[in-house]
């Protein structure tokens, strides 16, 4: 089946939805298709807790301060021009969210209640309790449902981008400039591959935390956009920089890991080791509010020193009512595990949380492939450098999705005709694939990445990871060539590719920076 539109949006988190809304409003006579795997709302966006960093009141905060905080967290590898652009656009993007019905908490005097997180020198995090992402996702989906020129295809899994390679085959060399014409998409309910043809494609598939054993990212975060972009020969950068959130709830068996927001430390919580001692003073003068890479590594060191599987967060000294008011979801979660935050310590450990690298885009969200835009966690924009400043990513997605729409509007809708796009050819001969072939390998990718390519790496560990991933790649390729396509098989293919890229980029880095730390460069 061939389905034609003007804009194809892949992914329904904050990046994809905000792009779709703006495109629909800017081009009312054009057709927009959003496809997303699984249900519409499942995304990293939905689970965001802390909020959105924004300088709003220039009498209390300054752009310069947010810019400096971002640059410091990024460990010297941010693009300063991009940082300035994003920070200065934040106020407009936040006003837009307010117009779209997103509600942010206010104090009794009517002023916004701004939170604080690691690396920020001011309180500047706009939040909705501790479920900011849920509030945003719900509000954006409501707007999308009202726009007549948007059609939603949930339970649709993008397999591969369509470029000249699919149209002209071997006549195209690897070096030729490429254009995107849409994507091949698996209808997850009917098991049918559909051909979505579009003039512009927005890749907004989010993160890839699922390459690790312990992650805060939901099951959909399997690096699909990274895999698709890599196969289409788009440029990728900074893949070695992985952010581990210092404080995921330590609750063995729970997956994904439940996050205890950094805003809890911003609210005054302490970190303690299993001897009940505060330890951050040994590592950084900013203590519990040092940038995430530093706090995560400090916790990792303490866990190794004490042979423990976690450390603790201590909120016992904080005002209970104020805490519950700001963090009702976290309080409830602790209660459900018989942790009374008034007298008990909360066990926490680092978990894979965010990927700083990804598909390289310019300030307009343009990738290296013509008519392919990308936004959100799947991208490498230059904002985060080697380590993302907390609560800068929802903002980044809003800014780059906005800029992409403006770019298309400014340059005028591309009038060129699309080439004849071939339908998907089903080569599968085996419809009896055993699920164990997938589940085992998915677990193996996670084990390899957690043990060899985690918070602390080394050349030897990276080499071992590479060799083992190569075996998994070969096995997966054989399956892909003859087995019936399923979401699980396709996700595994992208997990292996993403893991491979993280390892290969890590092997090329010869200096410790932000989210990359190797014993060989101490
Ligand atoms: P996502 O929101 O992940 O959306 C990606 C979408 O693409 C999903 O709908 C997914 O199903 C779909 N998709 C993926 N692959 C395919 C495919 N092959 N075919 C079709 N669809 C596909 N950032 C902040 O700034 N502030 C915070 O407070 C904050 N808290 C966080 C808390 C948690 C627990 C987590 C996990 C992240 C948090 N982050 C936070 C990071 C932030 O949430 C994400 O970086 C951001 O939401 C990413 O948005 P996105 O639109 O790029 O991707
Ligand atoms: C958190 O609430 O700690 C997550 C914030 C983020 O990842 O930006």
């Amino acid at each position: 089946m061939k389905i034609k539109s003007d804009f194809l949006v892949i992914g329904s988190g904050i990046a994809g939805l905000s792009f779709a809304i703006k495109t629909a409003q800017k081009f009312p006579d054009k057709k927009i298709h959003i496809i997303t795997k699984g249900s519409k709302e499942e995304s990293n966006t939905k689970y965001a807790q802390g909020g959105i960093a924004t300088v709003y009141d220039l009498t209390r905060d300054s752009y310069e301060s947010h810019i400096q905080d971002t640059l410091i967290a990024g460990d010297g590898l941010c693009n300063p021009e991009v940082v300035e652009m994003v920070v200065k656009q934040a106020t407009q993007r936040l006003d837009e969210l307010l117009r779209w019905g997103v509600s942010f908490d206010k104090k009794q005097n009517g002023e916004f209640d701004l939170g604080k997180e690691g690396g920020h020198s001011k309180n500047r995090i706009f939040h909705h309790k501790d479920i900011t992402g849920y509030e945003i996702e719900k509000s954006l989906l409501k707007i999308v449902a009202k726009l007549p020129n948007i059609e939603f295809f949930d339970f649709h899994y993008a397999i591969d981008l369509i470029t000249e390679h699919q149209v002209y085959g071997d006549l195209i060399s690897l070096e030729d400039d490429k254009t995107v014409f849409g994507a091949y998409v698996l209808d997850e309910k009917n098991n049918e591959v559909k051909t979505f043809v579009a003039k512009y494609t927005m890749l907004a598939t989010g993160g890839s935390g699922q390459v690790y054993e312990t992650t805060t990212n939901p099951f959909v975060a399997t690096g699909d956009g990274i895999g698709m972009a890599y196969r289409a020969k788009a440029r990728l950068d900074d893949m070695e920089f992985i952010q581990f959130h210092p404080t995921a709830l330590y609750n063995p068996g729970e997956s994904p890991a439940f996050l205890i927001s950094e805003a809890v430390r911003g609210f005054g919580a302490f970190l303690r080791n299993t001897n009940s001692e505060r330890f951050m003073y040994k590592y950084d003068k900013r203590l519990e509010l040092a940038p995430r890479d530093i706090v995560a590594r400090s916790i990792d060191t303490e866990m190794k020193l004490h042979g423990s599987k976690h450390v603790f967060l201590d909120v016992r000294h904080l005002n209970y009512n104020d805490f519950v008011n700001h963090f009702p979801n976290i309080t409830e979660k602790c209660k459900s595990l018989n942790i009374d935050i008034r007298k008990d310590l909360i066990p926490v450990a680092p978990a894979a949380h965010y990927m700083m690298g990804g598909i390289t885009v310019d300030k307009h969200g343009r990738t290296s492939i013509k008519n392919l835009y990308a936004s959100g966690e799947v991208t490498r924009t230059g904002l985060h450098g080697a380590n993302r400043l907390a609560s800068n990513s929802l903002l980044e997605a809003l800014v780059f999705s906005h800029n992409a729409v403006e770019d298309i509007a400014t340059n005028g809708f591309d009038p060129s005709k699309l080439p004849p796009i071939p339908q998907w050819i089903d080569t599968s001969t085996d419809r009896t694939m055993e699920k164990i072939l997938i589940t085992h390998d998915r677990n193996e990718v996670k084990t390899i990445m957690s043990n060899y390519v985690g918070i602390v790496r080394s050349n030897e560990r990276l080499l071992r990871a590479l060799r083992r991933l190569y075996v998994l790649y070969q096995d997966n390729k054989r399956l892909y060539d003859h087995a019936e396509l399923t979401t699980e098989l396709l996700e595994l293919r992208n997990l292996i590719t993403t893991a491979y890229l993280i390892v290969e980029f890590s092997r090329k880095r010869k200096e410790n920076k932000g989210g990359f730390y190797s014993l060989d460069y101490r």
Side-chain angles (χ1 to χ4, degrees), residues 9-20 45 93 201-207 225-226 354-355 357-367 372-381 384 393-405:
V9 181
I10 308 179
S12 58
I14 190 169
L17 293 180
S18 63
F19 176 82
T45 301
R93 303 285 75 82
T201 300
M202 163 54 83
L203 201 50
T205 47
I226 298 291
Y354 187 85
M355 183 175 60
I359 305 164
T360 312
V361 292
D362 66 9
K363 282 195 207 165
H364 310 283
R366 296 184 205 134
T367 68
L372 176 67
Y373 287 79
S375 175
E377 192 162 339
V378 75
T379 62
R380 182 273 195 189
T381 63
H384 309 307
S393 47
L394 294 170
L395 172 61
E396 179 192 47
L398 287 173
V399 168
F400 280 85
S401 291
H402 170 85
N403 289 3
V405 180

Side-chain angles (χ1 to χ4, degrees), residues 56-345:
Y56 203 71
D57 177 352
L58 288 173
T59 62
R60 295 179 188 196
D61 195 357
S62 69
Y63 294 134
E64 198 40 46
S65 161
H66 189 185
I67 290 170
Q68 280 311 317
D69 291 346
T70 304
L71 294 173
I72 291 168
D75 210 1
L77 293 190
C78 302
N79 177 337
E81 265 182 47
V82 170
V83 174
E84 182 176 347
M85 177 194 78
V86 173
V87 165
K88 290 193 171 165
Q89 243 196 65
T91 325
Q92 285 166 284
R93 303 285 75 82
L94 194 99
D95 277 334
E96 231 153 43
L97 283 185
L98 291 167
R99 283 201 297 279
W100 288 342
V102 179
S103 134
F104 291 105
D105 288 2
K106 290 189 169 172
K107 296 193 275 204
Q108 279 184 343
N109 66 6
E111 287 174 5
F112 283 109
D113 175 35
L114 303 180
K116 194 168 185 198
E117 292 180 29
H120 286 277
S121 47
K122 293 274 183 200
N123 282 51
R124 61 167 75 97
I125 316 293
F126 285 72
H127 66 97
H128 180 97
K129 305 286 177 199
D130 50 359
I131 50 166
T132 311
Y134 178 76
E135 168 69 13
I136 293 173
E137 184 70 22
K138 184 187 74 175
S139 308
L140 297 190
L141 282 172
K142 251 192 216 162
I143 306 272
V144 164
K146 286 189 195 142
L147 290 163
N149 50 340
I150 297 184
E151 197 175 340
F152 220 125
F153 296 81
D154 55 359
F155 294 94
H156 277 67
Y157 180 101
I159 304 170
D160 266 319
L161 296 168
I162 303 171
T163 64
E164 283 86 352
H165 174 74
Q166 278 82 3
V167 181
Y168 305 112
D170 291 343
L171 293 174
I172 290 296
S173 86
L174 288 181
E175 287 74 37
D176 284 337
D177 286 344
K178 302 210 165 35
T179 312
V180 76
F181 307 118
Y184 292 118
V185 177
L186 175 69
D187 178 336
E188 294 177 309
K189 289 195 169 155
N190 299 326
N191 249 31
E192 175 197 358
V193 178
K194 297 173 178 169
T195 309
F196 278 76
V197 180
K199 184 45 81 63
Y200 294 97
T201 300
M202 163 54 83
L203 201 50
T205 47
S208 57
Q210 285 290 326
V211 292
Y212 288 95
E213 250 166 9
T214 309
T215 177
T216 61
N217 290 195
F219 292 114
V220 293
T222 49
D224 297 343
I226 298 291
M228 281 187 267
Y230 178 71
R231 289 189 291 276
K233 311 276 181 288
R235 180 170 170 184
L236 296 133
D237 278 300
D238 290 353
M239 290 293 296
E240 68 274 39
F241 299 122
I242 302 294
Q243 182 167 79
F244 290 82
H245 196 293
T247 57
L249 183 67
Y250 176 73
N251 182 26
E254 179 171 7
S255 180
F258 181 86
L259 185 72
I260 307 286
S261 175
E262 187 154 307
V264 168
R265 275 174 284 131
F267 202 77
F270 299 143
L271 281 167
R272 294 187 186 278
N273 60 25
T274 40
N275 284 350
S276 244
E277 299 152 348
R278 282 186 75 185
F279 56 83
M280 275 309 297
Y281 70 89
K282 286 196 269 175
Y283 302 98
D284 194 286
K285 62 177 186 320
R286 290 161 291 184
L287 304 175
E288 278 84 356
L289 288 179
R292 267 184 202 168
D293 54 334
I294 295 170
V295 181
R297 261 197 311 279
S298 310
I299 292 177
D300 188 65
T301 307
E302 287 293 313
M303 282 165 41
K304 285 184 177 134
L305 266 176
H306 293 272
S308 60
K309 291 203 152 64
H310 59 80
V311 294
F312 290 111
L313 259 182
D314 184 0
V315 302
R316 295 171 301 181
H317 55 291
L318 302 174
N319 180 296
Y320 180 71
N321 290 334
D322 289 350
F323 187 90
V324 175
N325 191 34
H326 191 147
F327 304 107
N329 190 38
I330 291 173
T331 311
E332 209 36 58
K333 177 72 186 182
C334 289
K335 212 186 254 175
S336 76
L337 297 172
N338 288 324
I339 301 168
D340 180 347
I341 58 166
R342 284 167 295 196
K343 47 185 175 53
D344 300 328
L345 297 171

Side-chain angles (χ1 to χ4, degrees), residues 380-392:
R380 182 273 195 189
T381 63
L383 174 68
H384 309 307
N387 173 51
R388 176 181 65 106
L389 181 67
S391 285
N392 262 357

